[in-house]
Amino acid sequence: MRTTIKDLRLYRGDQLSESEAYSLCLFADKKLTATVFRIAMKLREQGFSMGDYDHLYIVFIPCDTVEGFTLSQEVDRYHPWYRKCFVRVKQDVYDHLDNANQYAYLLDTISNVLVSCYANDCFGADRILECIHHAVELGEDMLMEFKEKRSTNRHAIIYLRYRDTCCYSPLLRVWDLNGTLLLEADLPEAITLDYLGEIQLSANRVKIKPRKNAFSADMIPLMFEY
């Protein structure tokens, strides 16, 4: 089964444990974390798949031998939705991964991993690199199409923006059948998207109902008229 990507994360592989497994430690600051997540968002919007898992953990480990990367074939039986890619780097690079001046190197590494491990006839290298470039260049202004609703005479889309604070800042747009923009509204910033469930659309009003789960029990629908 193939599934679309959901997340990319950067880790430092700290100390080799007795079980021969690296202890993972997140090192990216909020800005870099947001940038990497926006890459995953844009790839997801375009239908990019890594196979039967949707999270990729890129793990940097120090080495004194040949640099490079290896996609692990190990599958966590309890969490089969992620894989690890181990990137071997020199100790001086490893020691400064959390410096802001390493951003370009880290983004280049992400590009190389994704192209080398996942480019195929359905989603080629150029397309992967285009998504990465789009996410990096637009930054907080990047839009990802999240939800869409069409009625007989209206068309609504909720887009996601992801801020450097690691919060979502959704944007709602509504058009008529001629393509005239009737409404553009910033939606509340949030850490999760539980308040963005079903879109109900009429000739002069759009209603966004919360998702049906335990986290949205006290949320009320959003309503806009135009």
Side-chain angles (χ1 to χ4, degrees):
M1 181 182 70
R2 298 185 66 81
T3 180
T4 53
I5 189 173
K6 288 185 179 178
D7 201 3
L8 289 168
R9 299 185 190 180
L10 303 180
Y11 288 92
R12 177 188 279 119
D14 277 341
Q15 185 175 357
L16 195 62
S17 68
E18 293 180 359
S19 62
E20 299 296 311
Y22 281 96
S23 175
L24 304 188
C25 177
L26 291 165
F27 65 86
D29 60 18
K30 280 195 170 183
K31 182 176 181 180
L32 179 58
T33 298
T35 300
V36 174
F37 189 64
R38 283 192 286 264
I39 292 172
M41 287 171 62
K42 182 52 64 173
L43 288 167
R44 178 173 178 79
E45 180 191 62
Q46 298 300 310
F48 175 76
S49 175
M50 298 180 291
D52 59 353
Y53 54 95
D54 49 34
H55 286 57
L56 180 64
Y57 298 164
I58 299 178
V59 184
F60 293 85
I61 56 175
C63 75
D64 295 323
T65 56
V66 180
E67 295 182 285
F69 55 84
T70 303
L71 183 62
S72 174
Q73 299 304 310
E74 180 183 358
V75 179
D76 186 326
R77 60 182 296 184
Y78 299 107
H79 309 95
W81 37 263
Y82 77 87
R83 296 291 187 278
K84 298 173 187 173
C85 181
F86 292 101
V87 181
R88 301 179 298 279
V89 296
K90 296 296 185 182
Q91 187 68 50
D92 60 334
V93 174
Y94 180 84
D95 290 340
H96 298 92
L97 286 172
D98 54 356
N99 290 356
N101 59 11
Q102 293 283 15
Y103 280 8
Y105 163 73
L106 294 170
L107 294 174
D108 282 345
T109 299
I110 292 172
S111 299
N112 291 335
V113 167
L114 292 177
V115 168
S116 298
C117 297
Y118 302 106
N120 53 45
D121 291 341
C122 296
F123 210 113
D126 289 346
R127 196 172 172 194
I128 292 173
L129 294 175
E130 182 180 355
C131 288
I132 295 172
H133 177 78
H134 188 89
V136 173
E137 289 299 308
L138 292 184
E140 292 186 308
D141 294 326
M142 189 200 81
L143 298 178
M144 169 195 168
E145 188 173 323
F146 177 60
K147 284 182 178 288
E148 180 182 29
K149 179 72 173 185
R150 292 181 182 269
S151 67
T152 55
N153 53 13
R154 297 290 183 261
H155 177 207
I157 296 179
I158 296 175
Y159 297 94
L160 297 182
R161 294 169 296 199
Y162 200 68
R163 301 304 190 191
D164 286 343
T165 55
C166 295
C167 287
Y168 292 102
S169 178
L171 176 69
L172 171 66
R173 288 174 178 164
V174 181
W175 299 266
D176 65 17
L177 292 185
N178 296 319
T180 301
L181 184 64
L182 303 176
L183 173 70
E184 182 173 81
D186 292 313
L187 303 182
E189 288 196 5
I191 297 175
T192 68
L193 299 172
D194 295 298
Y195 79 96
L196 298 179
E198 179 187 358
I199 302 174
Q200 296 180 343
L201 195 58
S202 65
N204 58 5
R205 186 175 69 179
V206 57
K207 182 178 182 181
I208 303 170
K209 301 176 68 176
R211 294 175 176 175
K212 296 180 180 179
N213 60 39
F215 303 105
S216 62
D218 297 326
M219 295 179 181
I220 60 175
L222 298 177
M223 195 93 67
F224 298 90
E225 295 187 350
Y226 41 85

